[in-house]
Amino acid sequence: MPEFAAHIREDGTIQSVEEHSRATAALAEKYARSVGMEKMAYLQGLIHDYGKLCADFSDYICGRNSMRRGQIDHSFAGAEYLQKLAEQTGDPRIIDTAFLAARTVVSHHGLHDWLNESGEDVYLQRISKQERYAEIRENARRMVSDEELMQLLQQAMKEYGAVRRKIAAISPGREYQAFYLGMLERLLESILMDADRTDTASFMSAANTEMFCDAQKLWDQMEQRMTQKCDSFRSRTDPISRQRMSISDRCAAFAHHPIGACRLIVPTGGGKTLASLRLAIEYCREYGMERIFYTAPFMTILEQNSDEIRAIAGEESFLEHHSNVQQELDGAEELEAYELRADHWDSRVIATTQVQLFNTLFSGKSTSVRRMHRLCRSVIIFDEVQSIPLKCVSLFNLAVNFLTKVCGCAVILCSATQPCFEATQYPMLLDQQESVVGDCTDDFIRFRRTELIGALRDAGYSMEEAASFCVEKFQENGNLLVVVNTKAAAAGLFEKLRQQTEQNIAVIHLSTNMCPQHRRETIADMRRLLKEEKPLICVTTCLIEAGIDISFHCVVRSLAGMDNAAQAAGRCNRHGENPVCPVYVINLAAERLNNLQQIKTAQKISRQIIGSMPEQDLLAPEVMSLYFQKLYQENGRLLNYPVQDAGTGTTLIDLLAENRHRYGLHQQGIQPYCQAFATAGRLFEVIDSRTEDILVPYNTEAEELIARLNEVRTPGEAAGLLRKAQKYIVQIYPQMKTTLNEEGARYELKCGGVAALKKEFYDPAFGIRSGAGQPEIFMQ
């Protein structure tokens, strides 16, 4: 058989299709070991590039013809060959196994919709192609015998059967089974994609691009460092320190029995991060887990806690994966090394955002799909789990079920305000012994530092009345944090408070109209004023609730969800500096929430709870549980991620399961499952992406970056400058963009794809302002 080229290095060295296929298969086999599907993965790797077994592709790789990248479809041939080989047996189990493997081969460069918008069978179309197939078929038989493929198929069938039994055990109906089988297909796709790209990168760089770290040795080292840290705390005798150690010790003890999905309910200030990490380390040592993932919804929480985790894990074994890290990297070499680890997720301990982890499970981007298999046999800590968007709740529940029941993961749900994920249409399957710390009543009593007080009025508060109420509470307590629901309300109340307070009182505004560096410096200023016990009022939005470590004597929170009130309370008397401090909930009549239906629904439920429980501690876990039950009941279908598919209303749950609308258009009826993976992946987003970035001239460095981006000549130079400019970028909605354009405040930079703000439209107190001198008033 002639040697067919899969890849060629700059020095002319060729990697043959057989070399690449065998190496990819071996890597895939290793990756799949954690889910017991080694032979299935080996089979995928072996046949994934059959389409390269032709003279045209070899000539293209070696530059002997004029064909362009992507012109030869090399993904269909292996799938077609395997499907036809399986059909010769007449055994439906073999055929079904080949069907799954073949679909992953067809999609190893990107996800597919198995039925298109017209109901046509995309898989059948792909495996019916005849381009160069006769030539490929003969060369394939010389590379891999049919006997070897059949033996692998027989072994893969047994593996697939075992996994299907696990899925059947957690599937009360066909829809669940279809969803979980779709997750399995994505997992196998992830294994193949990563193996393929890893072997290619290793060949092209003539070096091993995979990181190796002895997991058990690392867990032992981390346990020693954690013990040393705990010992330093254990010597403290004050009641708060003793209670933190009690929580930590209960977490360590909990690790000695099997965990699927459990809850870590810890009050604010209870040492949740270190306690959850201690549980994860002990569990990894006990059960030989592969990785620890820590995920948080907000960058502020992630950056704060990553330093703690890095100190325990060690720099070499730890990856902090989010966009802000890239801003701090110097030079192309350092950036390339970081991106390699971020693409692989092969570090043993990884801290990442909730967005990145959700994208790994549901986004259509190949970089996201590729990482999914790294979650298998991991301990996954979801911090501040109450922040999961309503539209993602059902997807999250089903994903956790798949990760824990099929992939061998241990999931720890961390929050003082735990949602009732088990009481939804698609419930999470929590462990029978779900609470890590057992009865947490005593923990909440000992850590009680605030009292949530309803101060609601039938007609609500005008801006003037709200400002007067805030001034009164400030005078009683010495400093005050005010949290409202919209940027417009924050700006308006800030102006009223400046009018009603004396000049020696620092009144500070904080919102996402300010760039990250501006916000960072404003928070640092507030911390300094609080430390010096200077009079201070801060008016802000819910961004302050995103894990920012700051403590006021009193908080006023505009009515929203009970979880929002609890998070605001976490910025009050945070370190127990004083006896119990007040957190007031008021209703601002002036807040415009017409386009914010979810907040209006949360307000209605919170008002019911506050009004019906006058004697109850409104921050108690049972109150939060009741709130989430009502919230989930009220929102119903929203939890399933509603979308439009070709003008028809459906949900991401359905697109990733039975795909009923498209299946109704489908006439041939040969596919048992016909998920729309590509469409669902394109539609999925954790955070609304309707925003656009604008670079603001906050300080001299920002102005210099804007000037340089207006002169830049190469894409590489622009990319480097944009990384450094991230801390000066504000995300704006279409309404604001229109207003700024009308006022001549926004202009496009010559580097392309980036806009900047004129200096006179950026205010040191408000951030972006309109030309009329008014702060931006849009509600988002």
Side-chain angles (χ1 to χ4, degrees):
M1 168 179 149
E3 187 176 80
F4 293 97
H7 307 106
I8 185 168
R9 283 203 293 257
E10 287 184 359
D11 64 4
T13 304
I14 290 175
Q15 183 187 39
S16 71
V17 174
E18 182 169 9
E19 288 169 338
H20 173 59
S21 297
R22 294 282 180 188
T24 298
L27 273 175
E29 181 178 36
K30 182 178 78 169
Y31 295 161
R33 200 164 290 138
S34 57
V35 285
M37 298 199 76
E38 300 98 309
K39 297 307 176 185
M40 173 72 90
Y42 190 93
L43 175 63
Q44 294 173 184
L46 198 57
I47 67 171
H48 80 285
D49 269 356
Y50 267 19
K52 294 181 179 180
L53 291 169
C54 61
D56 282 348
F57 192 91
S58 207
D59 288 345
Y60 153 69
I61 284 291
C62 296
R64 295 192 293 263
N65 62 28
S66 59
M67 287 186 166
R68 298 183 304 276
R69 182 182 179 89
Q71 195 170 343
I72 298 175
D73 179 359
H74 71 271
S75 301
F76 80 92
E80 185 170 343
Y81 191 97
L82 186 68
Q83 190 74 47
K84 289 179 176 177
L85 182 66
E87 286 170 356
Q88 291 172 18
T89 69
D91 186 336
R93 297 172 303 162
I94 290 286
I95 294 170
D96 195 28
T97 302
F99 177 67
L100 175 60
R103 296 211 310 187
T104 65
V105 169
V106 169
S107 298
H108 78 269
H109 283 289
L111 299 178
H112 282 75
D113 289 348
W114 295 125
L115 291 182
N116 64 22
E117 291 181 356
S118 302
E120 296 170 331
D121 188 330
V122 174
Y123 174 73
L124 186 62
Q125 291 173 358
R126 289 298 300 276
I127 67 164
S128 300
K129 297 181 74 169
Q130 295 301 312
E131 294 172 26
R132 308 175 185 86
Y133 183 69
E135 177 191 1
I136 291 166
R137 181 183 60 213
E138 294 310 309
N139 292 326
R141 285 173 176 160
R142 295 188 186 102
M143 188 181 95
V144 183
S145 70
D146 286 356
E147 289 75 18
E148 182 180 359
L149 289 182
M150 281 306 305
Q151 184 180 9
L152 286 167
L153 261 176
Q154 291 280 357
Q155 294 169 315
M157 179 188 72
K158 293 176 183 176
E159 294 173 343
Y160 185 31
V163 173
R164 287 200 67 149
R165 285 191 289 277
K166 290 181 182 179
I167 287 173
I170 59 172
S171 299
R174 178 186 166 89
E175 184 180 28
Y176 287 84
Q177 188 172 49
F179 185 91
Y180 293 137
L181 286 172
M183 293 291 285
L184 177 64
E185 184 173 328
R186 184 183 177 96
L187 176 61
L188 290 168
E189 195 70 72
S190 166
I191 288 168
L192 178 56
M193 280 186 179
D194 197 21
D196 179 24
R197 284 155 178 73
T198 299
D199 180 68
T200 301
S202 295
F203 170 76
M204 296 301 287
S205 62
N208 183 10
T209 58
E210 276 220 289
M211 173 185 283
F212 175 77
C213 170
D214 185 327
Q216 201 60 43
K217 183 178 178 182
L218 175 63
W219 306 144
D220 290 342
Q221 291 170 345
M222 289 179 69
E223 192 271 340
Q224 290 169 12
R225 294 180 193 128
M226 179 61 78
T227 298
Q228 290 171 0
K229 197 168 189 72
C230 289
D231 287 346
S232 69
F233 293 144
R234 211 177 291 279
S235 60
R236 300 177 187 174
T237 57
D238 61 283
I240 291 294
S241 295
R242 289 172 64 183
Q243 198 67 20
R244 282 179 183 146
M245 280 313 306
S246 169
I247 291 169
S248 178
D249 289 343
R250 278 177 274 160
C251 285
F254 194 80
H256 298 293
H257 82 280
I259 295 173
C262 63
R263 285 186 166 120
L264 178 55
I265 310 171
V266 177
T268 302
K272 171 165 49 73
T273 303
L274 282 177
S276 64
L277 183 60
R278 188 177 176 194
L279 167 57
I281 294 167
E282 292 290 346
Y283 196 79
C284 285
R285 292 180 73 230
E286 182 84 10
Y287 291 95
M289 305 296 274
E290 295 285 330
R291 284 179 182 77
I292 294 172
F293 284 89
Y294 170 83
T295 179
F298 309 114
M299 216 76 83
T300 44
I301 301 175
L302 192 64
E303 289 176 329
Q304 283 171 194
N305 292 339
S306 286
D307 290 339
E308 294 251 36
I309 298 169
R310 183 184 288 105
I312 301 293
E315 189 71 46
E316 292 302 312
S317 304
F318 178 70
L319 173 68
E320 184 179 353
H321 182 201
H322 55 82
S323 57
N324 285 4
V325 174
Q326 293 182 325
Q327 300 171 29
E328 310 303 323
L329 300 176
D330 293 320
E333 191 173 319
E334 192 175 349
L335 177 64
E336 185 179 352
Y338 174 78
E339 287 179 340
L340 181 64
R341 298 280 71 82
D343 286 345
H344 272 276
W345 266 13
D346 54 358
S347 301
R348 291 294 181 186
V349 184
I350 298 172
T352 191
T353 60
Q354 190 182 94
V355 169
Q356 286 286 3
L357 198 132
F358 269 70
N359 283 346
T360 296
L361 294 166
F362 300 112
S363 169
K365 293 180 180 178
S366 292
T367 50
S368 297
V369 178
R370 178 183 178 182
R371 299 185 188 112
M372 182 182 173
H373 75 95
R374 300 291 184 179
L375 296 172
C376 295
R377 285 201 57 76
S378 292
V379 179
I380 308 173
I381 301 167
F382 286 97
D383 203 358
E384 302 298 348
V385 74
Q386 81 288 341
S387 66
I388 286 172
L390 284 175
K391 65 182 180 180
C392 296
V393 165
S394 293
L395 289 171
F396 178 62
N397 288 350
L398 294 175
V400 167
N401 294 345
F402 181 79
L403 289 170
T404 55
K405 304 302 183 183
V406 178
C407 301
C409 297
V411 169
I412 306 169
L413 309 172
C414 297
S415 179
T417 54
Q418 289 275 344
C420 51
F421 294 124
E422 72 281 13
T424 59
Q425 181 182 353
Y426 300 95
M428 185 183 292
L429 302 174
L430 290 163
D431 294 346
Q432 189 170 2
Q433 189 179 346
E434 65 177 59
S435 176
V436 173
V437 295
D439 186 353
C440 58
T441 305
D442 190 51
D443 298 326
F444 276 80
I445 291 170
R446 290 178 183 273
F447 279 95
R448 188 167 185 259
R449 302 164 182 178
T450 57
E451 180 184 7
L452 192 61
I453 303 167
L456 306 174
R457 293 180 177 177
D458 290 341
Y461 292 73
S462 67
M463 279 293 178
E464 288 281 354
E465 292 168 336
S468 298
F469 181 87
C470 291
V471 169
E472 177 188 325
K473 299 309 170 188
F474 161 75
Q475 290 169 344
E476 292 173 4
N477 295 279
N479 59 53
L480 177 71
L481 174 66
V482 186
V483 186
V484 295
N485 292 317
T486 69
K487 290 186 282 188
L493 191 54
F494 170 75
E495 292 282 26
K496 294 293 183 186
L497 283 166
R498 281 208 297 196
Q499 294 167 13
Q500 292 191 25
T501 53
E502 299 173 6
Q503 287 188 347
N504 68 320
I505 298 169
V507 182
I508 291 178
H509 166 269
L510 184 71
S511 85
T512 53
N513 275 355
M514 302 152 73
C515 67
Q517 184 63 22
H518 192 173
R519 299 200 302 266
R520 198 173 292 124
E521 292 178 10
T522 300
I523 291 167
D525 287 343
M526 289 197 295
R527 285 180 176 140
R528 176 183 54 78
L529 290 168
L530 290 167
K531 186 176 181 180
E532 294 171 359
E533 298 186 355
K534 298 289 179 64
L536 167 66
I537 300 174
C538 172
V539 186
T540 184
T541 61
C542 63
L543 77 87
I544 198 77
E545 297 164 1
I548 292 173
D549 188 3
I550 198 164
S551 184
F552 288 80
H553 293 166
C554 180
V555 171
V556 173
R557 183 46 164 109
S558 178
L559 182 66
M562 295 300 294
D563 55 329
N564 296 112
Q567 290 299 316
R571 307 320 119 196
C572 183
N573 198 22
R574 188 169 176 83
H575 308 293
E577 314 95 288
N578 301 294
V580 176
C581 291
V583 176
Y584 297 95
V585 179
I586 66 171
N587 49 329
L588 266 176
E591 277 187 322
R592 294 187 296 168
L593 302 175
N594 294 338
N595 296 325
L596 300 172
Q597 185 57 47
Q598 288 186 35
I599 294 180
K600 291 173 73 173
T601 302
Q603 284 183 328
K604 182 180 78 171
I605 297 167
S606 295
R607 186 159 194 156
Q608 290 171 357
I609 288 174
I610 291 170
S612 63
M613 296 182 166
E615 306 301 320
Q616 176 78 38
D617 176 6
L618 295 173
L619 296 173
E622 58 270 24
V623 175
M624 293 299 159
S625 179
L626 176 62
Y627 166 74
F628 278 108
Q629 284 180 40
K630 290 178 177 289
L631 183 71
Y632 290 170
Q633 289 168 4
E634 190 79 24
N635 283 282
R637 192 168 180 269
L638 177 61
L639 306 184
N640 301 339
Y641 207 124
V643 293
Q644 288 289 314
D645 177 35
T648 300
T650 184
T651 66
L652 280 198
I653 294 288
D654 186 56
L655 288 175
L656 292 170
E658 295 184 283
N659 199 6
R660 284 177 286 240
H661 165 62
R662 293 189 186 183
Y663 196 79
L665 302 174
H666 181 53
Q667 300 301 314
Q668 298 166 64
I670 64 165
Q671 286 210 55
Y673 301 109
C674 48
Q675 295 92 338
F677 293 119
T679 296
R682 175 176 51 80
L683 293 173
F684 178 77
E685 54 184 12
V686 180
I687 299 170
D688 191 338
S689 64
R690 290 180 301 135
T691 58
E692 183 178 302
D693 291 346
I694 187 167
L695 189 50
V696 300
Y698 168 59
N699 58 19
T700 304
E701 183 187 31
E703 291 174 21
E704 290 174 355
L705 284 167
I706 291 170
R708 289 177 66 188
L709 281 164
N710 229 3
E711 300 167 355
V712 73
R713 295 182 181 178
T714 68
E717 186 183 354
L721 291 171
L722 282 170
R723 281 199 306 275
K724 294 182 183 297
Q726 289 299 307
K727 58 187 174 182
Y728 301 118
I729 280 177
V730 175
Q731 292 183 322
I732 59 174
Y733 280 87
Q735 281 179 287
M736 185 198 275
K737 178 182 175 180
T738 299
T739 299
L740 294 176
N741 283 339
E742 289 172 350
E743 296 180 347
R746 176 186 171 276
Y747 62 100
E748 298 287 339
L749 296 177
K750 291 178 182 177
C751 66
V754 185
L757 186 76
K758 289 183 179 178
K759 188 172 183 177
E760 60 267 30
F761 292 88
Y762 197 81
D763 186 274
F766 286 105
I768 296 178
R769 290 180 70 113
S770 73
Q774 295 300 313
E776 190 275 313
I777 62 169
F778 303 114
M779 294 181 290
Q780 290 97 338

